[in-house]
Amino acid sequence: MAGFEAGPAALERLASTLRASGDALDNSGAEIPALRAGAVTDAVHAAFAVLCESVVEVVAAFTSAGDAVSDSAKTYVTTDQDQTFGH
């Protein structure tokens, strides 16, 4: 067989890693610090706000990917059992 194989246990480990990475990123956040950047203070705060919004999207992507991989593992097991037991 060419290519690779990934069993349900490996898929669940990957799903767990993805979710944990999203959680770690989410928990690493802090409030935007009070900055004094003179005339560009508002622009710096706006840049931080955009960055924070992007991090929220990355966290959601990690969680979503973890869920999708976990769902794939469950489908793998169900399909394998159906083939094995002739359902």
Side-chain angles (χ1 to χ4, degrees):
M1 173 182 207
F4 63 92
E5 294 181 42
L11 292 172
E12 285 298 342
R13 284 192 303 275
L14 175 58
S16 178
T17 299
L18 287 165
R19 290 178 182 139
S21 297
D23 289 344
L25 182 59
D26 192 31
N27 293 330
S28 68
E31 301 262 338
I32 297 175
L35 300 171
R36 288 185 239 158
V40 296
T41 298
D42 289 342
V44 171
H45 276 281
F48 270 108
V50 169
L51 180 61
C52 290
E53 288 173 17
S54 295
V55 169
V56 167
E57 291 176 15
V58 170
V59 168
F62 272 116
T63 301
S64 179
D67 291 345
V69 171
S70 182
D71 289 345
S72 294
K74 290 173 187 154
T75 300
Y76 183 112
V77 169
T78 301
T79 302
D80 194 43
Q81 287 175 347
D82 287 349
Q83 293 299 315
T84 300
F85 298 112
H87 291 116

